[in-house]
Amino acid sequence: MRTPHTRTSDTRTPPTPTPHTRTASWHTRTPARRPHGDSPDTAAAFAHLAGLREGPERDLLCEEVVEAWLPVAHRIAGRFHDKGESIDDLRQVAAMGLLRAVNNYDPRRGPFESYAVPTIRGELRRHFRDHMWDVHVPRRVQDLRNKVRLARRHLAQQPGAGPEPSVAAVAAHTQLTEDEVRDGLTALNGFSALSLDAGLLPSDDDVFSLADSLGEPDEAYDVITDREAAKTGLAHLPERERTILYLRFFEDMTQSRIAEHFGISQMHVSRLIHASCRRVREEATRD
């Protein structure tokens, strides 16, 4: 089977294609000079596709055109190989973008390459945006990340530049605010995330992980909240009731000892504690 790159000098009128045969009439055209060596001349094929309805003949011709332009798609995919994705997966994504470009291309828009290359690149960028980020980052911040990354690279290459351009320098170069530059710098580390099991600091007997550095809920915060909520109600209690609550809950005195201290019965102490706590609770929840 001849590929879309095959040239031929046969000028005879090609036979009318049937739904079960490949359409080869576009092979007879002499390819024009292309910007890249892997860019085939498929103008005649697209002109033929424009007049075909959905069916086997159109599908076969589309298959040939996609096959002819696959080297271009693979070349574009290769430019993204250093971003953490395998080259095979990148080529599949690029092929999907190429297929989309072939199906949506209108010859009246101009050369196919001018339409296909941005379409393939867009498909690859969408793949990285939607599937490769370990941490979800809004699209706006992703755009800031790209601008900041390119600006830092450009500034670092200038004569006399330091190892790390300042935030102010990046902001002036990109015409962004310094807060936007900081957001972009933060997003530089959002593409990939470390596991909580990753080592932190080595020791003699063990290796600490990132999980070991995480804090835990502190119950003291709840105690502070409760004390602040109870202040108003305690201030409204008579002095004796406040003293009884203090001796019971802060000095850990028994009701019997409190009763002896005030010269009242233990049952009366119990009723005072119960009534005082209810009053403080009601004022705290009401506020």
Side-chain angles (χ1 to χ4, degrees):
M1 181 189 69
R2 291 180 297 178
T3 65
H5 301 283
T6 304
R7 301 185 184 182
T8 179
S9 59
D10 186 3
T11 57
R12 293 174 298 175
T13 303
T16 302
T18 65
H20 300 288
T21 60
R22 288 182 180 266
T23 304
S25 59
W26 59 281
H27 287 284
T28 62
R29 290 177 57 90
T30 301
R33 185 175 181 181
R34 314 298 296 173
H36 299 92
D38 55 359
S39 301
D41 181 11
T42 53
F46 281 115
H48 193 173
L49 277 173
L52 292 178
R53 296 182 178 181
E54 296 292 336
E57 182 182 356
R58 178 181 175 82
D59 293 341
L60 288 172
L61 185 53
C62 283
E63 180 182 343
E64 282 200 353
V65 174
V66 169
E67 182 181 351
W69 282 91
L70 269 181
V72 176
H74 291 172
R75 169 167 53 81
I76 297 173
R79 298 176 181 175
F80 294 79
H81 75 281
D82 58 346
K83 296 183 179 295
E85 184 70 295
S86 70
I87 189 63
D88 290 338
D89 290 341
L90 291 176
R91 287 179 173 179
Q92 289 184 11
V93 175
M96 291 174 57
L98 172 60
L99 180 60
R100 177 176 298 177
V102 170
N103 287 330
N104 297 331
Y105 172 63
D106 185 346
R108 293 172 296 181
R109 298 178 180 177
F112 176 68
E113 185 170 9
S114 301
Y115 175 74
V117 171
T119 303
I120 296 171
R121 287 176 179 168
E123 193 71 25
L124 287 163
R125 292 191 178 111
R126 277 191 294 272
H127 173 75
F128 281 97
R129 183 191 67 198
D130 298 336
H131 302 288
M132 294 299 295
W133 286 75
D134 290 342
V135 179
H136 175 70
V137 177
R139 177 66 181 273
R140 181 187 69 84
V141 180
Q142 291 186 31
D143 292 338
L144 292 177
R145 170 188 179 272
N146 293 333
K147 291 180 180 179
V148 169
R149 177 174 56 84
L150 294 175
R152 292 178 72 200
R153 181 187 303 173
H154 175 77
L155 294 173
Q157 294 173 350
Q158 299 303 308
E164 289 292 338
S166 65
V167 172
V170 175
H173 182 79
T174 58
Q175 297 184 347
L176 299 172
T177 65
E178 293 191 6
D179 287 339
E180 289 175 329
V181 172
R182 293 188 185 95
D183 288 341
L185 291 172
T186 302
L188 288 175
N189 298 322
F191 193 79
S192 60
L194 288 176
S195 169
L196 290 178
D197 295 327
L200 183 61
L201 292 175
S203 65
D204 293 338
D205 300 325
D206 200 355
V207 175
F208 293 100
S209 67
L210 289 176
D212 296 326
S213 66
L214 299 179
E216 296 180 354
D218 192 340
E219 297 180 357
Y221 289 117
D222 294 333
V223 174
I224 294 174
T225 303
D226 294 340
R227 286 181 178 178
E228 292 298 318
K231 277 186 176 180
T232 303
L234 288 171
H236 293 163
L237 291 177
E239 183 178 356
R240 184 180 68 168
E241 277 76 353
R242 289 202 304 270
T243 304
I244 290 175
L245 292 181
Y246 175 79
L247 294 175
R248 178 69 186 90
F249 295 108
F250 290 89
E251 294 295 333
D252 202 23
M253 289 180 60
T254 64
Q255 293 184 12
S256 300
R257 289 185 60 191
I258 296 174
E260 293 175 2
H261 179 80
F262 285 97
I264 57 179
S265 67
Q266 179 182 344
M267 183 63 69
H268 190 38
V269 170
S270 178
R271 286 196 296 268
L272 289 175
I273 292 175
H274 180 74
S276 299
C277 289
R278 182 179 67 251
R279 181 175 176 181
V280 170
R281 185 181 303 110
E282 288 175 354
E283 291 205 27
T285 55
R286 182 172 61 249
D287 293 342

